[in-house]
Amino acid sequence: MITVSKGDLAGTAVDAIVNISPAPLEDALVAGESFKGGSFIYTFGMGEADKAEVRLFTRKALLRAEERGLHNIAFLVPVTGVGELAPETAAQVMVSEARCLLVHSSVENVIFSIFTDTAFETFSKIARRDQVVCLGDSITYGYPGGPETSWVALSSKMAGLTLVNEGMNGDSTRGMLDRLQYDVRPMGPAYVIILGGANDILLGSSVEEIQNNIKTMARVALDAGICPVLVMPPPALPGGGFVPPGLAGCLAEA
């Protein structure tokens, strides 16, 4: 669970507190660790960190908590902000990293403690997202029966979730990348499930090209505060052909 609180953490029980320090950039991402009042304290110097560095900092803090088997972690977001990022960009980066980790982690709760009204409203808006969009080709669309017979509709019914079907017959990962940027990103979902590559293979695209498109989709999603979930296409493809073994590895790398 991701929550956003206003002000300090008085009365909030947490296993770890991440303190963002305005230390010079050369000290950024080097965490100091201490133990006080029942909580581990991780201090990171951020300086004028850019988006990639803030993402790495957030990931390192979450992974450090996971390594210790901690369950509740709080980030203290200072009045001065996070690195050189605007509040919305910082929220998109940090919240998306938290969402992705919470899918498969001992960490159960991430709290962002905010001290300014603007940042509080921005972090709260992004943390409240709950929509799940399924982006793909005909496999996602539900060909030949239509969306009502798709895995999206069946999963939605079985899990009791609202999943948005953004499958398109015949689409490639290149086309999916365009639709992610211009159709899915403006929706502002919490997660995007990406299942593609079958048509690329049928059209003779290389594994490297598919991998690059999938990597770019993952990066675009994360930069927009969306957690990407990558799914392998089925081994046997409609109309004949098989997914090459290298595609599984490329998804893992993406």
Side-chain angles (χ1 to χ4, degrees):
M1 178 183 295
I2 298 174
T3 56
V4 181
S5 68
K6 182 73 177 293
D8 60 35
L9 294 168
T12 303
V14 295
D15 302 314
I17 296 173
V18 181
N19 181 37
I20 301 172
S21 165
L25 184 59
E26 57 264 28
D27 297 328
L29 310 179
V30 178
E33 180 178 297
S34 60
F35 189 79
K36 182 179 180 182
S39 300
F40 287 95
I41 310 294
Y42 302 137
T43 300
F44 286 80
M46 293 301 292
E48 297 179 354
D50 60 19
K51 185 187 296 185
E53 290 161 336
V54 171
R55 183 175 302 287
L56 179 58
F57 142 75
T58 307
R59 187 175 301 168
K60 285 185 67 173
L62 291 166
L63 290 175
R64 181 161 294 203
E66 184 179 36
E67 288 169 1
R68 285 194 172 275
L70 306 181
H71 302 295
N72 304 293
I73 180 170
F75 286 82
L76 299 183
V77 180
V79 174
T80 54
V82 181
E84 63 176 15
L85 305 187
E88 183 170 9
T89 304
Q92 288 173 336
V93 168
M94 298 178 76
V95 171
S96 64
E97 283 296 323
R99 277 204 179 99
C100 291
L101 184 91
L102 288 173
V103 172
H104 52 77
S105 173
S106 64
V107 178
E108 298 173 356
N109 299 295
V110 177
I111 303 168
F112 292 99
S113 182
I114 314 294
F115 293 88
T116 66
D117 292 339
T118 300
F120 176 76
E121 292 171 4
T122 301
F123 270 79
S124 296
K125 178 184 68 175
I126 294 173
R128 282 195 301 267
R129 293 177 177 177
D130 60 1
Q131 189 179 54
V132 180
V133 173
C134 304
L135 179 66
D137 48 33
S138 58
I139 297 172
T140 296
Y141 176 79
Y143 178 85
E148 64 276 4
T149 65
S150 68
W151 67 263
V152 178
L154 295 174
S155 299
S156 181
K157 183 177 181 180
M158 292 176 64
L161 299 173
T162 300
L163 305 180
V164 179
N165 191 328
E166 284 293 326
M168 178 181 288
N169 292 335
D171 206 3
S172 64
T173 54
R174 175 67 251 184
M176 289 168 57
L177 173 57
D178 289 339
R179 291 195 294 121
L180 172 63
Q181 296 189 80
Y182 299 111
D183 297 338
V184 176
R185 188 166 61 173
M187 297 179 186
Y191 300 89
V192 57
I193 299 174
I194 299 171
L195 196 170
N199 290 313
D200 300 67
I201 294 164
L202 293 174
L203 293 170
S205 299
S206 67
V207 170
E208 291 73 22
E209 182 180 351
I210 300 170
Q211 181 184 41
N212 288 336
N213 288 336
I214 292 173
K215 279 185 173 181
T216 303
M217 281 191 274
R219 185 168 61 250
V220 168
L222 286 169
D223 284 347
I226 305 166
C227 177
V229 180
L230 308 182
V231 182
M232 270 288 292
L237 302 177
F242 295 87
V243 173
L247 186 56
C250 95
L251 279 177
E253 291 179 25

